[in-house]
Amino acid sequence: MSKPITALAFDFGTRSIGLAFGQSLTASARELAPLPAKDGKPDWDKVQQLIDEWRPHYLLVGLPLNMDGSESEFGARARKFGQRLHGRSGLPVEMIDERLSTRAAKEEAAERGHRGNFAQDPVDSIAARIILEDWLRARGGS
């Protein structure tokens, strides 16, 4: 049996970056506390601490695309964040289409009793977990 593949997923945002960690053995992921960001820039020392702590094989970054599949200005910022992650960590970074993850995260948050105040109580880490679970399922758990 092959060793499980692990990944750390990031849902890029300008004020908050959602985080989740998952592995291929059970194709499951868990939400982690989101990283505060200033205009999309996290505390890179904290990012490195998370990478050191979780030791992922892959880093995933949600790529916000327009519904027609074209890239938005925000998508370019997420891609730049992914390039910085790769440059700092040396780990492979995959950009993941996240068009429906935020909506799914808000629906899930509402089921958990979220009041809809997404600015004060963001759902970024739920979105990161959904992105990661989709990626794990697409890999077929291998």
Side-chain angles (χ1 to χ4, degrees):
M1 177 144 177
S2 62
K3 269 178 54 173
I5 291 172
T6 58
L8 199 55
F10 297 82
D11 182 48
F12 177 78
T14 54
R15 290 189 308 239
S16 175
I17 298 171
L19 278 172
F21 177 80
Q23 44 78 24
S24 61
L25 193 64
T26 59
S28 64
R30 63 180 262 204
E31 296 154 30
L32 303 176
L35 283 171
K38 288 191 177 93
D39 194 30
K41 294 177 185 74
D43 175 344
W44 287 105
D45 291 338
K46 181 72 177 142
V47 172
Q48 190 58 53
Q49 286 172 1
L50 287 160
I51 291 169
D52 292 345
E53 178 182 350
W54 292 99
R55 307 181 67 76
H57 298 106
Y58 292 92
L59 302 175
L60 311 178
V61 177
L63 181 61
L65 297 171
N66 296 317
M67 279 320 221
D68 65 2
S70 63
E71 194 161 308
S72 63
E73 181 186 333
F74 200 68
R77 293 186 70 180
R79 199 176 286 283
K80 189 172 184 178
F81 173 76
Q83 290 165 346
R84 286 201 178 118
L85 267 178
H86 174 69
R88 287 169 177 268
S89 69
L91 291 169
V93 173
E94 290 189 29
M95 302 303 294
I96 308 295
D97 178 355
E98 59 138 66
R99 276 179 277 191
L100 301 175
S101 67
T102 300
R103 178 183 295 159
K106 286 180 177 178
E107 288 170 3
E108 185 176 317
E111 289 167 14
R112 295 186 195 175
H114 196 289
R115 304 223 183 289
N117 52 338
F118 298 112
Q120 292 87 18
D121 188 8
V123 295
D124 307 328
S125 289
I126 299 173
R129 194 202 78 237
I130 291 168
I131 291 165
L132 182 44
E133 286 173 347
D134 288 348
W135 181 81
L136 288 165
R137 271 195 298 279
R139 292 182 68 89
S142 64

